[in-house]
Structures are given as structure tokens and as C-alpha cells.
Amino acid sequence: MRGNQARKHKFFSMCAILVMVTLAASFFITPSTNGKVTINIGYQSITAQTWGALIIKHQHLFEKKLKARYPYIDFNIQWHDEVSGSVINNNMLAHKYQIGYMGDMPSIINLYNGYLHEEYNSRLLAIDGKGLNGKNQSILVSQESGINDIHDLAGRTISVPIASSTHKMLLDILAQNDLLDKVEIINQDIPTAYNMITTGKIQALAAWEPYPSYLMQNDQMIRLMDGEVTGNDYLAGIMIDDDWAKKNSEYTSIFLDSIKESHEFLRNNPDESVKIISQESGFPPDVIANVLKNIDWEMEITSSNRDTLKKNYEFLYELGFLKDFPVEAYLNTVKGKN
């Protein structure tokens, strides 16, 4: 009798343990009451250096990898095409986006936001596109401007988005040619600047790809100077909300695999990449094909890339866009806040 009771007790104890394990597993794998995980990603189809995002989006690389690892979860990946890195930064700071593709200057500002704001932590997850030595940035003038040499800009007005890598490129070129105090620089987005050139209100603009190639397509503009003369690499960063990343380390690892696959696709399938990017961005295929030749797709945060980003931080600091913060620590790993 006692043996039967002992067996029953053992049986019910095992059942209780199995129920608890099942409930615990169910709790662990179910991210919300409806079993759906939503991940928001900001990107910029108007910036060639971040076109790696278009490959992941169009090919559903992230979703496929997530589904293979978690077949029981309903993943909802929301892609947000924004006009600038600052818009993505604002949404990441508000915890609306978990991942953001942006240029190197906005990437530094994202890290600075992580330092400045107690409720937000930032991490540089990877690099997307890279223009070696300043490729993919240019100074453009109208075909009919009569400007044929960089020194012809003396006394003229040049438009550039202030605090961008292209702004830094422009200032470096002007300094190299003793023109810093001989031109007027105004802050405008590139479409506005182009409209002002066509009406003769300004004489030059500085822009990043694909705008230069697009504006030169029908002989509307000519390239006066290429950013490659500066020797400064032009990077795009992939930023992540570090608090979210730590809570979702497996999702983060899967996204890193997606970045790697997108870069391999861009390197190995140039014709298909052109079709996808044209479809996603609206830029003509011949423009995209020309631009892609000058982009290196490397995701590693190398010492060289860190040095480039540190120089960009110094540029933003000198402009007064941010105050002193331990940028080097943030480029290596996120440090605890004071």
C-alpha cells in the first residue's frame, strides 16, 4: 500500500515538474500575449552606403533566418525608409526602432545619445558600405556654370548638409586649396540645393552617392572634385538599441548573419543587386551599377574604421554638435554610465 502511494506521489511529482517545465518553456518562447515579435528597422534608400539594408529587406533574409530558428514565433519585421539619419536616431532614442542604418556622422550622434540619455543605450553593431579614401562623395556644379576648376569657386555659394561626412569632405577640399574663407557655405538638403542651382541662386553643391551619379546622368551637372582626394574613408554604420540587443541576443546574432549574407550577395550577384536596389530605391539601374563599383561591403569594425569614426567625432565636437564623451570606449563596447 505504501509502495503504491509512493509510486503515485512520485508520478504526480513528475507530472508537476513536467507542467512547470512546459509552462516555463512556453513563457520563454512566447514573446507576447499573441506570440508575435515586431522588430523595427530604419534605413535610407537615398544613401548608397546603406543599400545593404535593401538586400536584407527585399530578400527577407532576416525573417527567413528567424523563422528557421523560431518556427513557432510570428515575426513582424517593419522597415522604415527615412530621409536622414537624424530621423532614425530620433526614433531609436524614443525606442520606436531597434536597428538603424545611417552614415558615419549620425552613427557618432547615436552613440552620443547613448552616453547622454540614461534611458537609451547605443551600440555600433557593424559597418555597411564603405567608400575607401572618400569615394562616393563629390562637389558638383552646373554644366552651364562656367566653373571648371576648384579655384573658380572663390566668391561663390556652395550648399551641403551641415554636420554630414560630405560637409567634412567639402571643408577638407576647401582647406587643401586655400578656399575656406573665400566661399559661402549654406546648409540645405541635396534636392533643395539642386533646385537652387538650376535657378542660379547657388553655384555648387556637395553630395553623396547616388545623387552625384544621378544628377550627372543627363549632363545636368558635372563633377568638379571627387571626395577621394581627401583620403578619408566614408562609412555607414548599423546601430542597435543595446538594451534590446542584450535582451534579444539571439535575434541580434541572426541579424548579424543577415548583414554578412547581404554583403556576400552584393559582392557575388552584381546584376541582381542592381535590379533589387533599383526596385527598392527608385534610382535608375545604370546609376546604381555605376555607384556599386565604388562601395566596399565590409561589416567588421576594424581599427581603421574606429579611427575614421573618431576623426568624425572630433569634427562634430569642433562644430559644437556634441560635447566631450568617451567615444573610443563606445566604439569598442558600451561602457557603464556614470
Side-chain angles (χ1 to χ4, degrees), residues 140-148 194 197-198 203 215-223:
L140 304 173
V141 295
S142 168
Q143 182 88 356
E144 302 173 353
S145 67
I147 298 172
N148 301 304
Y194 172 67
I197 278 188
T198 58
Q203 289 73 52
L215 294 176
M216 292 166 59
Q217 187 180 41
N218 298 316
D219 294 326
Q220 299 167 308
M221 307 283 287
I222 58 174
R223 194 190 314 271

Side-chain angles (χ1 to χ4, degrees), residues 103-311:
D104 40 17
M105 297 296 179
S107 296
I108 291 294
I109 292 173
N110 193 291
L111 292 173
Y112 182 65
N113 284 337
Y115 168 76
L116 198 63
H117 299 278
E118 189 64 33
E119 71 279 4
Y120 175 69
N121 285 293
S122 168
R123 188 202 311 175
L124 175 62
L125 183 65
I127 303 297
D128 200 33
K130 179 176 180 177
L132 285 171
N133 299 319
K135 287 180 180 177
N136 308 318
Q137 301 179 99
S138 304
I139 300 173
L140 304 173
V141 295
S142 168
Q143 182 88 356
E144 302 173 353
S145 67
I147 298 172
N148 301 304
D149 182 85
I150 189 69
H151 293 95
D152 293 338
L153 290 176
R156 309 295 184 102
T157 301
I158 307 174
S159 175
V160 67
I162 297 297
S164 65
S165 284
T166 304
H167 182 205
K168 184 176 186 297
M169 177 271 298
L170 173 63
L171 294 181
D172 286 345
I173 290 176
L174 293 176
Q176 288 174 9
N177 292 278
D178 192 29
L179 288 169
L180 269 180
D181 57 350
K182 298 174 183 176
V183 301
E184 180 184 5
I185 297 174
I186 60 174
N187 179 25
Q188 292 174 324
D189 61 66
I190 297 167
T192 300
Y194 172 67
N195 288 334
M196 292 192 72
I197 278 188
T198 58
T199 58
K201 294 178 180 177
I202 63 173
Q203 289 73 52
L205 66 85
W208 55 81
E209 293 288 2
Y211 285 111
S213 294
Y214 179 68
L215 294 176
M216 292 166 59
Q217 187 180 41
N218 298 316
D219 294 326
Q220 299 167 308
M221 307 283 287
I222 58 174
R223 194 190 314 271
L224 186 66
M225 188 72 74
D226 190 280
E228 200 171 359
V229 300
T230 66
N232 298 321
D233 291 345
Y234 167 39
L235 307 177
I238 305 173
M239 309 305 297
I240 194 164
D241 181 328
D242 198 45
D243 293 327
W244 180 87
K246 288 175 179 175
K247 291 176 184 176
N248 300 277
S249 59
E250 188 67 24
Y251 299 166
T252 303
S253 177
I254 291 171
F255 192 73
L256 280 166
D257 287 342
S258 302
I259 297 169
K260 181 180 179 180
E261 187 171 339
S262 72
H263 289 183
E264 290 172 351
F265 188 94
L266 283 157
R267 286 192 293 265
N268 299 329
N269 303 277
D271 293 340
E272 186 65 19
S273 295
V274 168
K275 292 178 183 178
I276 291 170
I277 293 168
S278 180
Q279 181 179 334
E280 291 286 339
S281 69
F283 285 101
D286 53 343
V287 167
I288 293 164
N290 179 60
V291 172
L292 286 179
K293 295 175 184 177
N294 293 319
I295 302 178
D296 281 15
W297 301 101
E298 62 166 62
M299 61 183 292
E300 293 79 13
I301 307 170
T302 62
S303 58
S304 174
N305 292 339
R306 289 192 183 95
D307 288 343
T308 297
L309 291 167
K310 281 187 281 185
K311 290 176 183 176

